[in-house]
Amino acid sequence: MHSKFLGAALALALGSGYAQDAFAQVKPEVMVEQRQAAMRLQAKYLFPLVPMAQGKIPWDAAIVTRNAGYLDVLIRLAWDGFDPGTQGVKSRALPEIYSDPAKFKAAQETVFADMTKFVTAAKSGNEAAAKTAIGDVAKACSGCHDTFRQRQ
Amino acid sequence: MHSKFLGAALALALGSGYAQDAFAQVKPEVMVEQRQAAMRLQAKYLFPLVPMAQGKIPWDAAIVTRNAGYLDVLIRLAWDGFDPGTQGVKSRALPEIYSDPAKFKAAQETVFADMTKFVTAAKSGNEAAAKTAIGDVAKACSGCHDTFRQRQ
C-alpha cells in the first residue's frame, strides 16, 4: 500500500508546486499563494451574505448557516502564511504586519470574535444578530486591509 | 449603519475582483480562481498528513484532528466552480468534466466518502483508521486529477 500511497501523494505534490520532499519547508511563494487562496474563499462565502444582511436580497437561512460554517474554518487559514520569510514575495502585504505584530494579532482577534458571534447567531437562527455580525465581520476584514494591505 | 456597512463590503469587493453589483453573476475567471484556491488549501492541509500516515514523521494527533476539520470544509468548496461557463477560461480542467458529469459527480462522491471516514477516525482518535483514510483521500484526489485534469 505504501508505494501506491506515495505515488498518489507525489502526483498531488507535482501538480501543486510543492517540493517532493515531505520534510522540505514550504516555499515563501507557496505560502503567499495559500494565504491569498484563503482570503479569496473568505470573499466567496462572505460577499453573498452582505446584501442579505442589508435587506437587499431575501435572507436565505440555509445559505447563511452553510457559509457561517465554511467561514468559521476559512477565517483561520491565512494567518500562518504571513511568515517573515515571505516579505520578498510580491504581494499587497504591508511591512506593518511584521513591524507591529501586536497590532496585527489584535486585528486577527477582532475578526475571530466577530466570526464567533456570527456563527453562534447563524446556528441558533437569530437573524437579527446574524445580520449585525455579518456587518461586523465585513468591517473587521476591511479594517485589517486598511491597515495592513496596500491599496490598489 | 448601512452606509458604513456598504462601504466595507465595497472595499472588500474592490480588492477581490468582484463586481460591485451584489446581484451580478460571479465572473468565470473568478470562479476558476476560487476553485483553484480551494484545491490549493486542500493541498496545504492534506500534504503534511501523508508522511505522518506513512510513518515517515511522527503522528501528531492535534494537527491531524485540526486538519481533518479544515479539510472536511475545504473538500466541499471547489465543485460549484466547475460551471460550464468557465470552459473558456485557461485552466487544467479537462472537457470530460462537462461531457461526463455523472463520472465527475461519482469522483466527488468518492472523495466525500473517504473524507467522512477520515474525519470520523480523526475525531475518535482511531490512528490506524485515520492513516488508511488519509491514503484513501489522497488516492481519491489523484484519481480525479488523473481523469479530469490536464497533465502538466
Side-chain angles (χ1 to χ4, degrees), chain A residues 38-120:
Chain A
M39 289 200 244
R40 195 177 296 283
L41 292 171
Q42 289 162 18
K44 176 180 177 185
Y45 292 102
L46 180 63
F47 287 178
L49 305 185
V50 172
M52 286 190 204
Q54 291 172 316
K56 294 189 172 181
I57 59 173
W59 184 254
D60 185 328
I63 294 286
V64 170
T65 308
R66 185 201 69 174
N67 288 20
Y70 290 173
L71 288 164
D72 195 30
V73 165
L74 293 171
I75 203 67
R76 296 171 204 289
L77 307 188
W79 308 96
D80 65 356
F82 293 97
D83 185 276
T86 63
Q87 288 180 88
V89 181
K90 189 178 182 318
S91 83
R92 293 168 66 199
L94 290 173
E96 283 73 7
I97 292 167
Y98 306 101
S99 65
D100 195 348
K103 191 172 180 185
F104 190 57
K105 179 81 179 164
Q108 178 180 344
E109 282 163 8
T110 297
V111 77
F112 281 0
D114 290 332
M115 186 62 75
T116 297
K117 280 184 211 159
F118 170 44
V119 172
T120 304

Side-chain angles (χ1 to χ4, degrees), chain A residues 5-6 8-9 12 14 18 23 33-34 40 44-45 47 50 54 56-57 70 77 80 135 141-142 152, chain B residues 2 5-6 8-9 12 14 18 23 33-34 40 44-45 47 50 54 56-57 70 77 80 135 142 152:
Chain A
F5 196 4
L6 184 63
L12 283 169
L14 289 167
Y18 265 73
F23 300 91
E33 287 171 346
Q34 289 171 336
R40 195 177 296 283
K44 176 180 177 185
Y45 292 102
F47 287 178
V50 172
Q54 291 172 316
K56 294 189 172 181
I57 59 173
Y70 290 173
L77 307 188
D80 65 356
C141 294
S142 290
Q152 269 180 327
Chain B
H2 273 184
F5 195 5
L6 183 64
L12 283 169
L14 289 168
Y18 265 72
F23 299 92
E33 286 171 346
Q34 288 171 336
R40 196 176 295 283
K44 176 180 177 185
Y45 293 100
F47 287 178
V50 172
Q54 292 172 317
K56 293 189 173 181
I57 59 173
Y70 290 172
L77 307 188
D80 64 356
S142 290
Q152 270 180 326

